[in-house]
Amino acid sequence: MRLHWPAAAGEWTEALPVGNGRLGAMVFGGAGRSRVQVNDATAWSGTADGPARALADVLAAGAGPERLAQVREAIFGGDLERATSLLMSFEGPYSQTFLPYVDLWITLPEGESHGRTLDLATGVVTERLTIDGAEVTRRVWASETSLCVEITGAVPSEVDVTTPLREIGRDGLNLVVEIPVDSAPRHEPQVDAPVYSDGERGTISVKITEGERWLLTLTSSTTAETWQGQRHGNHMTLMDACEVRFGDVPEVVDVPELLSGKDEQLIASVLFEYGRYLLVSSSRPGAPPANLQGLWNADLRPAWSSNYTININTQMNYWAAEVTGLAECHDPLLELLEKLAVTGADVARELYGARGWVAHHNTDAWGWALPVGMGHGAPSWAIWQMGGAWLVQHAWDHHDFARTWSTLERAWPLLRGCAEFCLDWLVEGPDGYLDTCPSTSPENWFLDADGKPQALTWSVTMDVVLIRAVFERTLALALASGRADPVLAEISAALPRLRPVPVFDGRLGEWASDHVEEDSTHRHMSHMVSVYPLGQIVAGTPLGDAAFEVLERRGNGAMGWSWAWKMALRARLGDGDTVRSLLLEASQPFTGDRHRDAPVDGSEWGGLLPNLFSTHPPFQIDGNYGFTAALAEVVVQSHTGVIDVLPALPSGWASGSARGLRCRGGLAIDVTWDDGDVTVRLRRISGDAAAFVPVSIGGEITEVVVSDVVEVRGRIPC
């Protein structure tokens, strides 16, 4: 699939992304002077010892197990004001910031651009220009080691490399810069901005006066290179592992025409493939995982530090990794988890007197595990101890799709350590259940008896279902590996004492008590994590019906990531037509001010930027990744142990195909459908070749043994 834009970019939101996981660039194009804005995935503010120093400061300010006991006493006693005041001392500074790196400025003679084409299969942006009557071609891509710019055509050229960072040295074509040691998000204006270069920026210039073709390669290294994964894997191989096509898809898609919204199946096909492209480009072994903006950031002080927000956004970045054949792209997130298991163990022990490891609302490339907020962050988002319990589910998913010994061995210590923290975090509540306290439902509020918004309580639904998943999956890993571990008996004793998922007025409850929501259409769907991605609640059950009622009440529109989550939830509940309506909302061109941060409450809907990035605004890439994951759920689901084919296909999407989607248990699946006739081909990738695999097509289940390739046919309602 190739995507075409008929003109050069006038600004960053029109530029096109390329990347190899480590180096990323936004390609503007155009004759005359044009920009290629470059990022390095390891260019973060901060230092490796930053989390430890921040923990020491928080402890010195009085936070710790003794104060935690006072917080719990205040919450169970109904004194939420005192609990909030005490909890402020648990907040450290903010996690660090992903920074811009350098700009390439390429100067050619003035001429005419005939547009830019992004080839998703190769990761190459090609632009054809006419300069002085001659044809000139410029191509930009990221190889395994370098950012590459190639110009073919006999034109004089000049290349300038500039940086917004402080230059501290140079040697020929090598430029050395200094990255700030501290930063904070721009929603904290009282915090001094970090020191960057002032006056003349560091610059390297190269002039090319002769030749039919020249190739520039830019490489980078930083002292933050602590990522251990071996860099490997070709972009084309990863992209070729899977594809999904709804209806007919041309070889070249005109993007402005696409955004006119005339062909909804083409929009779905493009967004599915584009999300995979962005993950392949921004998350590869040997570099940090994709952040709030993937790998592409031009702001010295970006929104929310362009970091890892782990109450939904980072998780959504990786929902599509396993199911769309990009397990290798999952590796950077697993490595971040392994960092958090170290830094988070210190926080669990010193701050809470607990075993295992913990993470909260945010983290960064250094493995930040403390609460953030600088002592004034609202508890609705800053005080949440379940960030690690959600993030660690990705270690389980990585194993569940592959079912190999190596994936099991990697997941086991991460889940076991998280389970230990959860065991120690639970306390006996007033009615005998084991409760989490303090507890918040991320970013949401309820009204107390006086009508005042509150966030603190005990055992919100999200806490309970995450802990249940951690416990059950830790037990499953132990069973699969034949392990005997003392923690298993503790888990088995605690599991039946967790609170059941509540239902109030026919709807899944967000809190343990029947509180009134401050905002009945809130963008976060935190208690629905039990439906997607955890798969604890399924369609056709009383709890599934209660989950459906939540979605009906919450309504549709919000911003990119919220749309994507609602799409995935609707797909899990078999509601394909609402998946389609949500997709059409989410893919509308954004017509507001791209340079203004909209309110976080979702009161101003987002949409797609000209380069197909999902925006709130500001731009957040999680929506793009989430669209891919949700559309995969339309085609195949395997979370119940049954491979359910086309469980949420929108009406009118009468034909299509999928190749290389993955199912849990080590299987790959190809699907074709046309006017109700469905053909499925399953093939074994890994796992147990002797296992029976139930396949459901239109509700009819066929059991097969997949040792090599098996074909199954059936029909779905037209």
Side-chain angles (χ1 to χ4, degrees), residues 1-7 13-17 115-120 250-263 266-267 270-271 274 587-589 608-613 624:
M1 184 184 292
R2 287 177 287 160
L3 307 179
H4 181 73
W5 286 259
T13 60
E14 299 171 355
L16 305 184
R116 299 161 296 152
T117 300
L118 171 59
D119 188 326
L120 300 182
E251 289 186 11
V252 179
V253 177
D254 183 277
V255 173
E257 183 178 333
L258 176 79
L259 290 174
S260 69
K262 296 175 182 176
D263 189 336
L266 181 58
I267 289 171
V270 169
L271 289 181
Y274 195 52
S587 60
Q588 290 294 309
L608 295 182
L609 294 167
N611 61 5
L612 296 181
F613 279 170
N624 291 102

Side-chain angles (χ1 to χ4, degrees), residues 354-368:
R355 297 169 294 169
W357 62 274
V358 65
H360 294 80
H361 173 73
N362 289 114
T363 188
D364 57 23
W366 309 107
W368 185 270

Side-chain angles (χ1 to χ4, degrees), residues 101-306:
Y101 204 54
V102 299
D103 287 297
L104 296 180
W105 292 95
I106 301 168
T107 303
L108 305 175
E110 292 295 331
E112 179 185 4
S113 171
H114 303 295
R116 299 161 296 152
T117 300
L118 171 59
D119 188 326
L120 300 182
T122 63
V124 177
V125 174
T126 300
E127 181 182 25
R128 306 197 185 281
L129 307 103
T130 301
I131 298 176
D132 293 332
E135 295 299 314
V136 176
T137 300
R138 174 165 50 205
R139 300 198 308 153
V140 183
W141 71 94
S143 72
E144 186 172 337
T145 59
S146 310
L147 178 70
C148 304
V149 180
E150 175 198 68
I151 292 184
T152 303
V155 293
S157 311
E158 182 172 343
V159 179
D160 297 319
V161 180
T162 66
T163 177
L165 306 176
R166 184 192 300 278
E167 178 187 344
I168 59 175
R170 69 171 61 212
D171 177 15
L173 294 181
N174 294 323
L175 181 66
V176 184
V177 298
E178 181 181 46
I179 297 175
V181 297
D182 196 23
S183 183
R186 63 180 181 230
H187 63 72
E188 293 287 353
Q190 77 279 9
V191 179
D192 290 336
V195 177
Y196 298 93
S197 63
D198 47 13
E200 192 68 26
R201 292 180 173 184
T203 303
I204 296 174
S205 296
V206 178
K207 291 185 178 181
I208 300 100
T209 57
E210 297 180 353
E212 288 291 330
R213 172 184 178 271
W214 63 261
L215 176 69
L216 175 146
T217 63
L218 182 147
T219 60
S220 170
S221 64
T222 73
T223 56
E225 291 185 18
T226 61
W227 297 84
Q228 302 303 312
Q230 294 297 310
R231 299 183 67 191
H232 60 85
N234 180 279
H235 178 99
M236 293 179 68
T237 301
L238 289 168
M239 287 301 297
D240 189 53
C242 169
E243 69 175 17
V244 172
R245 298 289 186 266
F246 301 98
D248 296 325
V249 178
E251 289 186 11
V252 179
V253 177
D254 183 277
V255 173
E257 183 178 333
L258 176 79
L259 290 174
S260 69
K262 296 175 182 176
D263 189 336
E264 62 188 53
Q265 293 187 76
L266 181 58
I267 289 171
S269 300
V270 169
L271 289 181
F272 178 89
E273 199 72 8
Y274 195 52
R276 290 188 76 248
Y277 169 80
L278 293 172
L279 190 59
V280 167
S281 301
S282 63
S283 184
R284 304 278 280 279
N291 59 56
L292 275 175
Q293 296 186 186
L295 180 55
W296 302 280
N297 167 44
D299 295 327
L300 290 170
R301 204 167 186 182
W304 302 293
S305 300
S306 192

Side-chain angles (χ1 to χ4, degrees), residues 96 111 113 136 202 212 224 239 288-289 352 364 382 389 471 496 594 681 688 710:
Q96 295 299 328
S113 171
V136 176
E212 288 291 330
M239 287 301 297
Y352 300 127
D364 57 23
F471 285 173
R594 306 174 197 167
R681 288 170 59 88
D688 183 4
V710 173

Side-chain angles (χ1 to χ4, degrees), residues 51 54-72 86-92 343-356 358-360 368-372 382-385 421 424-425 437-438:
L55 174 59
D57 291 343
V58 166
L59 295 171
E66 183 176 337
R67 186 161 294 178
L68 174 63
Q70 297 171 349
V71 169
R72 286 171 167 164
L86 290 168
L87 274 171
M88 292 297 101
S89 65
F90 286 72
E91 295 182 359
T343 56
D346 295 336
V347 173
R349 181 181 62 255
E350 300 296 332
L351 202 61
Y352 300 127
R355 297 169 294 169
V358 65
H360 294 80
W368 185 270
L370 273 173
V372 300
I383 307 300
W384 189 61
Q385 290 78 10
F421 173 77
D424 289 356
W425 183 246
C437 184

